[in-house]
Amino acid sequence: MSEEHLKKIRKCVENQNLWRGNKTINLIASENVISQTAKSLSYSDFAHRYAEGLVYHREYQGQRFHDEIEQIAIDSVKKLFNCKFADVRCPAATTANIAIYYGLCNYGDKIFTLSVPNGAHISMRKFGGAGLRGLKIFDIPFDYDKYNVDMDLFGNLILGIKPDIITLGASVFLFPHPIAEIKEICQDIGTIIHYDGSHVLGLIAGGEFQDPLLEGADVLMASTHKTFPGPQGAIICTNNEALFHNIEKGIFPGTVSNHHLHRLPPLAIVCEEMNRFGKKYAKQIIKNAKAFATELDRKGFKVLGKKLGYTESHQILVDLSEFGRGLKNAELLEKADIITNKNLIHGDDVDLASDPSGIRLGVQEMTHLGMKEPEFKIVAEFFKRIIIDSETPDKIKREVNELRSKFLNINYSFDELGVLND
Ligand SMILES: Cc1ncc(COP(=O)(O)O)c(C=O)c1O
C-alpha cells in the first residue's frame, strides 16, 4: 500500500471520529455510542476467530475462551431480560429476523406485520426476511388516532386469517404495542408472537417501555445498538424451549456462520451497565423525548401523537409537509451538524420513501452523553431557526458544535466509576 493511501485511510477515520464522534448532535433513532469501558474490550483476538455451533459443541478446535465469553454474554442477557433462553450469535437484527423466520416458519406460512409507512422494518416484509422465507404477508391494521395497532379490526382479522406468526415491534415506534390483547386472541390458534424490540431494547432493559415476554410475546429479538447502548449486533430471547431450539437451528446452520465473537465482551459489559444504570438512563430518555417534542410543538412544528403526550419511547415524529417535507430539511439540519433522517410518517404512501413527509428523531445517544431537558430545548430552538426562520445553517453550526463540546463523556456507564482503571 502506498503511504498516500494509508494517510487517506487514517484521515478518513480521524475525520469520522472528530465530526460524528465529537461535533454533531446525533438524533438518528437507531444509533448510539458505547462506553469507553465496553469499547476497551471491543477489539481483540476474538475478532479473528470462528466458533460455529453452540457453546461447548463447536465445529473447530481452539474454543476454550470462545465458549467462556459466549456463555458469559448469554447469562448476562438472560439475567437482564429475565428469560430462560438467549442467543447472542446474530450479528444484526436483520439477520436475527431472517433466522427466526427460517427456524420457526415454513414456506407459504402466514405472517402479520405493520406496513412500512406504519413503522415496519424492511426485514419483516416482502423485500426482506419474510419475503426471503416465502411468507404470505398481511398488514396489521393501524389506528391513526392512537398511533398504534387497531385492535378493533385486528382481532377479527386474526380469527379469520389464522396467522402462523405475528411480528410486533417497529422502526417507527412511539407507543407500546398491545401484546397481551393479541396473545389472548391467538391463544387457541397457536400463532407465534414475535416481538422486534430493536428500537426499544434499552428502554425494556431499564423497565420503562413494556416487558414483551412478560406480556405474552413468545420471542423477543432486538438490535443491541439503538437505545440499548451496546456493540452492533442482536440478541434473541424466549422462555419457550421448543421454539428456542428451532431458532438455534435457524441461526446455525441456517443463516449465520461466523458470529463475530469480538461483540461479546462489550455486550456482556453493557448488559451489566444496564443492570446498574438502565433505569435512570431509560427514564431520562423518555423525559428528554417528551420535553423535546413539547418544545418543537411550541415552536410551531407539527409533532405527531400530541393528544397522547407525543411519545413513550426515545422517538419523535415530525410532519414537515408545510415546511418542504423530510429530505430538504434533513439536509439543511446536516449543514448545521444536526444529524437526522427523513422518514415516512403514518399515512404516507410508500412511494414517497425518497422524500417522505417527515423526519424521525431519537434522543437516546445525546441522553447517553448526558443531555437533559434544558439542552433539548436549545436543540428545538436550533430546529426553529433552521427550518422555520430559514437562518443560514452555517452560523448555527458553531453553536451546535459548542453545545456538543460540553457532552463528550458517556453517562449511565462504568466510565463514571473508573472501572477501566481497576
Ligand atoms: C425494528 C427493526 N428491526 C430490525 C432492524 C435491523 O437492525 P440491524 O441494523 O441490527 O440489522 C431495524 C433497524 O433499524 C429496526 O428498526
Side-chain angles (χ1 to χ4, degrees):
M1 176 165 25
S2 72
E3 211 169 296
E4 199 180 328
H5 192 56
L6 186 58
K7 257 195 206 153
K8 233 178 171 174
I9 296 168
R10 281 219 174 98
K11 194 71 200 159
C12 183
V13 175
E14 267 173 41
N15 284 341
Q16 170 74 9
N17 286 342
L18 183 68
W19 186 50
R20 292 298 305 278
N22 284 310
K23 292 196 153 188
T24 57
I25 291 183
N26 187 36
L27 300 171
I28 302 281
S30 54
E31 296 178 357
N32 214 318
V33 282
I34 70 172
S35 67
Q36 290 298 332
T37 314
K39 197 191 272 180
S40 71
L41 292 174
S42 287
Y43 202 85
S44 59
D45 187 76
F46 284 122
H48 311 143
R49 308 300 162 203
Y50 271 86
E52 283 178 341
L54 296 171
V55 175
Y56 303 121
H57 301 279
R58 309 288 197 184
E59 302 295 324
Y60 303 167
Q61 300 312 118
Q63 302 293 322
R64 200 178 307 164
F65 300 112
H66 303 176
D67 287 333
E68 189 176 337
I69 195 61
E70 191 165 324
Q71 193 58 54
I72 292 172
I74 290 169
D75 291 342
S76 306
V77 169
K78 278 165 52 175
K79 180 174 158 202
L80 182 60
F81 295 102
N82 196 20
C83 61
K84 290 191 187 139
F85 307 99
D87 199 295
V88 295
R89 288 176 296 167
C90 290
T94 299
T95 324
N97 277 342
I98 294 170
I100 287 168
Y101 296 141
Y102 190 68
L104 299 186
C105 303
N106 293 307
Y107 187 85
D109 276 1
K110 292 175 277 185
I111 182 173
F112 266 104
T113 88
L114 289 170
S115 68
V116 170
N118 289 335
H121 186 258
I122 199 70
S123 58
M124 310 163 178
R125 302 291 297 181
K126 183 176 164 196
F127 296 110
L132 205 59
R133 190 63 180 126
L135 303 184
K136 195 154 186 267
I137 302 170
F138 298 86
D139 289 352
I140 296 176
F142 201 77
D143 182 334
Y144 295 103
D145 282 332
K146 295 186 182 150
Y147 291 99
N148 214 323
V149 175
D150 186 337
M151 284 311 298
D152 292 341
L153 296 177
F154 195 30
N156 283 336
L157 279 174
I158 293 172
L159 294 173
I161 288 171
K162 298 189 175 46
D164 299 284
I165 188 164
I166 294 175
T167 295
L168 297 172
S171 302
V172 175
F173 204 0
L174 300 176
F175 301 103
H177 283 166
I179 305 171
E181 265 183 87
I182 293 168
K183 178 72 175 177
E184 204 183 323
I185 295 164
C186 291
Q187 209 69 267
D188 298 330
I189 305 173
T191 305
I192 297 166
I193 313 258
H194 156 232
Y195 183 99
D196 182 339
S198 290
H199 263 271
V200 290
L201 191 69
L203 307 180
I204 294 170
E208 291 296 317
F209 194 66
Q210 62 186 156
D211 185 334
L213 293 177
L214 200 66
E215 290 174 33
D218 298 298
V219 181
L220 160 68
M221 56 63 59
S223 305
T224 49
H225 50 268
K226 295 180 167 64
T227 50
F228 188 88
Q232 292 196 331
I235 56 168
I236 301 177
C237 303
T238 180
N239 288 318
N240 183 321
E241 188 167 6
L243 292 186
F244 185 65
H245 291 316
N246 285 336
I247 292 169
E248 282 184 323
K249 288 183 210 136
I251 297 170
F252 181 82
T255 53
V256 177
S257 169
N258 173 7
H259 56 277
H260 303 183
L261 291 156
H262 57 290
R263 295 178 296 114
L264 303 183
L267 175 63
I269 289 171
V270 177
C271 281
E272 207 43 46
E273 287 181 338
M274 287 296 101
N275 263 321
R276 298 273 287 272
F277 312 105
K279 184 107 202 145
K280 242 173 113 184
Y281 163 71
K283 265 186 189 303
Q284 191 61 50
I285 286 177
I286 293 164
K287 281 201 257 177
N288 285 349
K290 284 178 178 290
F292 190 25
T294 307
E295 199 61 18
L296 285 168
D297 182 4
R298 254 190 224 138
K299 303 256 181 246
F301 289 102
K302 186 171 173 195
V303 185
L304 302 195
K306 182 172 180 171
K307 274 192 300 192
L308 305 162
Y310 306 105
T311 183
E312 290 299 331
S313 76
H314 61 305
Q315 290 187 7
I316 298 165
L317 273 187
V318 186
D319 179 349
L320 290 174
S321 26
E322 66 177 298
F323 300 113
R325 310 180 66 75
L327 175 62
K328 178 190 116 183
N329 286 300
E331 286 174 354
L332 273 178
L333 289 162
E334 182 180 359
K335 287 190 179 135
D337 279 355
I338 297 175
I339 311 297
T340 63
N341 62 276
K342 64 178 164 39
N343 219 95
L344 290 168
I345 58 172
H346 305 294
D348 266 355
D349 194 291
V350 77
D351 294 341
L352 292 174
S354 58
D355 186 15
S357 304
I359 48 173
R360 182 188 67 172
L361 308 172
V363 300
Q364 71 294 336
E365 182 169 332
M366 292 301 114
T367 306
H368 202 202
L369 287 161
M371 286 192 186
K372 295 205 164 137
E373 293 94 320
E375 286 77 34
F376 279 98
K377 287 189 179 172
I378 299 172
V379 179
E381 177 66 17
F382 292 147
F383 270 62
K384 175 178 178 287
R385 288 167 60 195
I386 296 164
I387 295 174
I388 300 181
D389 303 341
S390 303
E391 264 188 56
T392 52
D394 255 3
K395 193 171 133 220
I396 296 165
K397 182 165 134 175
R398 278 192 293 278
E399 294 174 53
V400 166
N401 296 154
E402 198 190 318
L403 175 64
R404 181 65 169 80
S405 71
K406 296 177 193 146
F407 296 92
L408 296 174
N409 297 323
I410 293 170
N411 291 239
Y412 315 100
S413 74
F414 290 137
D415 294 6
E416 294 185 292
L417 305 182
V419 169
L420 199 54
N421 303 320
D422 281 1

